[in-house]
C-alpha cells in the first residue's frame, strides 16, 4: 500500500495487531526487548534541554532505531510542562488580548447572573411595585417595572438560567454532531463521505428558523430549554460538518497522521488523537457562534410567540412589552422593550469577542511567542506577552 | 457540465426530501397537524359529520386522502404539491397557493435587496478598513462592525418602528405599498413600494454589513501581505487600481461561500422582520398560519420558503466557478 492511498474502510482494524505488519516491526521491533522505564525515556524526545535529566546511554554505538533521547523528563516535569502548555499559556494569551478578556468577563457576568443571582433577586411576580416605572428611577426597581408592576430586573435575572441551558444544549449538539459527521466523512472518504455530505447538503438548504417553527408546532413540544436549544440548531450542524470535512481533508495526509496509520493505530485513535486537536480552533469558534445563533433565534421566536415556554424569557418579555403595552408606539413602556434587547446584545457581543480571542489562543503564531515563557526557563520572557497586538 | 447536472439533481433531491418530510410531519405524527385539523373540523362543522365526509374534507384541505393506503396517500400528496396544489387554507378559505403565491416576490425583493446592500457596503468598507489598517477610521469601524454583528435584525427593526415609524412618523409601520395606489408599472407605485420596503430592508442589511466588513477586512489584510502586491506597487500602479483589482478581487472569493450561507439565514430573518413590519411576505403568512393553527397554509409556506432558498443557494453555487476561475465547477471539490 502506498502511503498516500486511502486505507479501505475495513483495512484499519486488523492493523492494530502490529506484530503481523512487517513495516511496523521494523520500527516497533527495536522496542520489543526494552523495559518499561527505558521506553519512557526513549519516547521523551521533546526534551527541554535546560531542565531535563540526562540519560547516559553508555556510549555504545546504536542503530538509528535504538537511538535514545539525549535528555528525558521526570513525570513531575512532564506534568508541569503539560500544565504550562495546555492551561497556563492559553490562559495568559486570553488574558493579554483585550477582546478575549472582555468576552470572558461578559460571559462570566452572565454565568453569575444565571447561577448565583436568582438566589439574590426575588422572583418576578405581578404587583411587586407601581406600574410602568421607568428604568433607573428608583433603587428598588433599578430597571423599572412592567405594565403589571413586575420588576424587570428580576425578570431578566430569572430568565437567565433557562437561556444558558438552552444555549449550551444547542451549541453542544451542533458541535458534537457537526464534528463527528465532518471528521468521519473527511477521514473515511468513499461512499461514507458521499452519503454524509449529501445528507448535510440537504440539511444545509433547509431554512433554519422556519424549520424550527414548523417542528415546534408539529411536534407539540413542551417548553424544556434543552429540547428547544437542540431544535433551534436542528440543521446548523450541517454547515459545520462541511467546513470540518474540508479541514480534515488537508490534515489527513500530514506526516504525523501518516505515521500513526503506518504504526497501525485504529481509525478512532487517529481521529481523536491526531485530527480533532488540530480542529480545536475551528470547533471552539463554532461553539461560540452557535451559542450566539441560539440566542438570536430563540429570543426572536419567543418574541414572535411561536415557541412554547414555561418560565420567563427575554424574548417573551419583548413580546409582552410590544403586544401588551405597545412599547414601540408609547414611550412610557419603551424601557420594558429596551432592557431585554440590551441584555441580548451584550451577551452576543461578549461571545463574539470571546470567539475572536479564542482564535488567537489556537493561533500557532501567537502560541509560538508564548512557548519561551513556558517551562520556567526564567529568561524573563514572561513580559513579552504585552506586545501581542495585531497579527 | 456534469457538475451542473449533478448540482441541480441534488437541489431537486433536497426539495423532494423536504416535501416528503412535510408529508411525514402532517400524516404520521400522533397528535400532530392532521389530528389537530380533524379536531378543528369536528368543532367547526359540528359533530354530526360522518367520518367519510370528514375524511373527504381533510383530503381537500391537505391533499391527503386518509382512507387510502399510506403509499397512495404519499403519492397523491407528492403529485399534488409538485403540480402547485398545496391544499386549502382554513383561515383564508381559499387555496394555499393563491394566498402565498403573490407573497413570494415581495419576500424575495426584501431579502435579495437587503443581502445585496449589506454585501456591497460591507465589502467596500472592509477593503477600505484593511487598507487603512490601524487608523482611527479602522478602529472605529471595527468597533461599530462588532456591535452591529452582535445585534439581531429584529432589534434594529423594533427600534426603527419605535423611532422612525411612531415617534417621528417618517416611515410607514406596515404594508407593502400605500393602500390607495393601484399596483402597476407607474412611478408612484414604485416609490411607495420602496418607501414601505426601506425599513425592513435596512434592518436586515444593517446587521449584516458589520459581519461582511469584518471578514472582508480580515481577508484583505491577508492578501495585502502577498508578493504580487509588492510587484504591483513597484510597477507604480495607481492605488485605486491595486485596491480594486488586486486586493478586493482576491479577498472577496472566500466570502462567496459566506454569501451562500447568508441566503439561508435571511429567509429565517425575514420571517421575524416581516412580522414586525406587518409586511405580507411568505414569513408573515407562516406565522399567521401558526397562530390560526392553519396547518395546510403552514406547510405550504414552509415548503415555498425552502424552495426559494434552495434555488438561491443553487444559483450561488453554480455561479461560483464563474466568479472564481480556479474553482471550475465542483470538480476540484472531489479532487482529494
Amino acid at each position: 500500500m502506498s502511503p498516500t492511498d486511502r486505507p479501505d474502510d475495513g483495512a484499519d482494524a486488523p492493523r492494530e495487531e502490529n506484530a503481523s505488519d512487517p513495516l511496523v516491526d521494523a520500527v516497533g521491533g527495536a522496542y520489543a526487548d526494552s523495559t518499561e522505564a527505558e521506553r519512557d525515556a526513549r519516547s521523551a524526545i521533546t526534551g527541554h534541554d535546560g531542565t531535563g535529566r540526562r540519560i547516559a546511554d553508555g556510549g555504545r554505538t546504536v542503530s538509528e532505531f535504538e537511538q535514545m533521547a539525549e535528555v528525558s523528563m521526570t513525570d513531575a516535569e512532564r506534568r508541569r510542562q503539560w500544565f504550562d502548555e495546555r492551561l497556563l499559556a492559553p490562559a495568559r494569551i486570553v488574558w493579554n488580548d483585550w477582546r478575549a478578556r472582555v468576552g470572558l468577563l461578559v460571559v462570566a457576568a452572565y454565568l453569575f447572573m444565571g447561577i448565583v443571582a436568582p438566589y439574590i433577586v426575588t422572583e418576578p411576580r405581578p404587583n411587586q411595585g407601581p406600574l410602568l416605572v421607568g428604568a433607573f428611577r428608583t433603587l428598588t426597581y433599578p430597571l423599572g417595572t412592567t405594565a403589571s408592576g413586575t420588576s424587570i430586573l428580576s425578570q431578566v435575572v430569572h430568565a437567565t438560567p433557562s437561556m444558558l441551558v438552552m444555549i449550551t444544549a444547542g451549541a453542544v449538539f451542533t458541535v458534537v454532531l457537526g464534528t463527528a459527521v465532518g471528521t468521519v466523512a473527511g477521514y473515511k472518504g468513499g461512499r461514507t463521505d458521499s452519503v454524509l455530505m449529501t445528507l448535510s447538503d440537504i440539511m444545509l438548504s433547509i431554512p433554519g428558523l422556519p424549520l424550527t417553527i414548523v417542528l415546534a408546532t408539529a411536534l407539540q413540544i413542551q417548553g424544556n430549554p434543552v429540547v428547544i436549544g437542540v431544535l433551534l440548531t436542528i440543521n446548523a450542524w450541517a454547515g459545520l460538518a462541511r467546513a470540518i470535512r474540508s479541514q480534515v481533508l488537508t490534515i489527513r495526509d500530514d506526516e504525523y497522521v501518516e505515521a500513526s496509520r503506518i504504526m497501525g493505530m485504529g481509525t478512532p485513535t487517529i481521529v481523536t488523537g491526531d485530527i480533532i486537536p488540530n480542529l480545536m480552533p475551528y470547533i471552539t469558534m463554532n461553539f461560540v457562534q452557535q451559542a450566539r445563533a441560539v440566542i438570536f433565534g430563540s429570543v426572536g421566536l419567543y418574541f414572535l410567540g411561536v415557541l412554547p415556554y414555561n418560565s420567563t424569557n427575554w424574548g417573551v418579555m419583548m413580546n409582552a412589552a410590544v403586544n401588551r403595552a405597545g412599547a414601540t408606539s408609547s414611550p412610557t413602556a419603551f424601557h420594558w422593550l429596551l432592557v431585554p434587547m440590551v441584555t441580548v446584545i451584550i451577551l452576543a457581543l461578549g461571545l463574539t469577542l470571546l470567539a475572536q480571542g479564542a482564535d488567537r489562543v489556537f493561533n500557532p503564531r501567537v502560541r509560538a511567542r508564548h512557548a519561551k515563557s513556558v517551562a520556567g526557563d526564567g529568561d524573563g520572557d514572561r513580559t513579552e506577552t504585552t506586545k501581542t497586538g495585531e497579527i | 457540465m456534469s457538475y451542473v447536472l449533478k448540482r441541480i439533481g441534488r437541489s431537486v433531491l433536497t426539495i423532494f426530501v423536504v416535501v416528503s418530510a412535510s408529508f411525514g410531519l402532517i400524516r404520521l405524527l400522533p397528535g400532530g397537524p392532521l389530528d389537530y385539523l380533524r379536531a378543528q373540523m369536528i368543532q367547526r362543522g359540528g359533530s354530526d359529520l360522518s367520518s367519510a365526509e370528514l375524511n373527504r374534507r381533510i383530503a381537500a384541505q391537505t391533499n391527503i386522502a386518509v382512507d387510502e393506503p399510506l403509499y397512495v396517500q404519499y403519492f397523491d400528496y407528492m403529485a399534488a404539491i409538485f403540480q402547485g396544489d398545496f391544499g386549502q387554507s382554513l383561515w383564508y378559505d381559499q387555496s394555499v397557493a393563491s394566498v402565498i403565491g403573490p407573497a413570494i416576490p415581495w419576500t424575495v425583493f426584501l431579502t435579495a435587496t437587503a443581502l445585496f446592500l449589506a454585501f456591497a457596503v460591507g465589502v467596500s468598507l472592509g477593503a477600505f478598513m484593511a487598507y487603512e489598517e490601524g487608523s482611527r477610521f479602522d478602529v472605529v469601524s471595527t468597533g461599530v462592525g462588532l456591535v452591529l454583528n452582535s445585534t439581531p435584525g429584529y432589534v434594529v427593526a423594533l427600534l426603527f418602528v419605535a423611532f422612525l415609524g411612531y415617534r417621528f412618523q417618517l416611515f410607514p409601520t406596515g404594508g407593502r405599498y400605500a393602500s390607495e395606489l393601484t399596483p402597476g408599472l407607474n412611478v408612484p407605485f414604485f416609490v411607495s413600494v420602496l418607501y414601505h420596503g426601506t425599513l425592513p430592508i435596512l434592518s436586515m442589511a444593517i446587521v449584516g454589513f458589520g459581519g461582511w466588513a469584518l471578514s472582508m477586512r480580515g481577508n484583505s489584510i491577508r492578501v495585502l501581505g502577498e508578493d504580487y502586491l509588492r510587484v504591483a506597487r513597484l510597477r507604480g500602479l495607481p492605488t485605486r487600481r491595486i485596491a480594486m483589482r488586486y486586493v478586493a478581487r482576491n479577498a472577496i472569493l472566500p466570502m462567496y461561500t459566506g454569501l451562500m450561507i447568508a441566503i439561508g439565514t435571511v429567509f429565517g430573518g425575514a420571517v421575524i422582520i416581516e412580522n414586525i413590519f406587518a409586511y405580507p411576505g411568505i414569513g408573515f403568512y407562516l406565522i399567521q398560519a401558526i397562530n390560526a393553527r392553519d396547518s395546510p397554509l403552514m406547510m405550504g409556506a414552509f415548503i415555498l420558503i425552502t424552495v426559494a432558498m434552495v434555488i438561491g443557494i443553487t444559483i450561488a453555487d453554480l455561479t461560483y466557478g464563474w466568479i472564481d476561475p480556479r474553482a471550475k465547477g465542483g470538480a476540484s471539490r472531489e479532487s482529494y
Side-chain angles (χ1 to χ4, degrees), chain B residues 9-20:
Chain B
R10 209 177 65 213
S11 305
V12 173
L13 177 69
T14 306
I15 295 174
F16 191 79
V17 167
V18 170
V19 177
S20 303

Side-chain angles (χ1 to χ4, degrees), chain B residues 12-78:
Chain B
V12 173
L13 177 69
T14 306
I15 295 174
F16 191 79
V17 167
V18 170
V19 177
S20 303
S22 80
F23 171 80
L25 277 180
I26 299 177
R27 177 65 187 84
L28 301 176
L29 280 182
L34 194 67
D35 287 353
Y36 193 86
L37 193 63
R38 188 187 295 270
Q40 228 173 351
M41 282 189 177
I42 292 174
Q43 249 178 6
R44 281 191 194 177
S47 44
D48 49 340
L49 284 176
S50 71
S51 122
E53 171 64 12
L54 207 59
N55 287 345
R56 200 193 59 75
R57 287 197 188 182
I58 286 179
Q61 302 280 4
T62 59
N63 294 325
I64 295 176
V66 202
D67 310 326
E68 307 280 343
L70 199 61
Y71 68 91
V72 177
Q73 293 176 25
Y74 175 71
F75 185 79
D76 287 350
Y77 179 81
M78 298 297 278

Side-chain angles (χ1 to χ4, degrees), chain A residues 316-357:
Chain A
V316 176
M317 289 172 70
M318 285 164 59
N319 180 310
V322 171
N323 293 335
R324 273 195 242 145
T328 44
S329 49
S330 85
T332 47
F334 190 65
H335 67 279
W336 188 1
L337 179 63
L338 198 63
V339 170
M341 279 184 184
V342 172
T343 314
V344 170
I345 294 177
I346 293 179
L347 178 53
L349 192 60
L351 288 171
T352 310
L353 292 171
L354 192 62
Q356 293 200 338

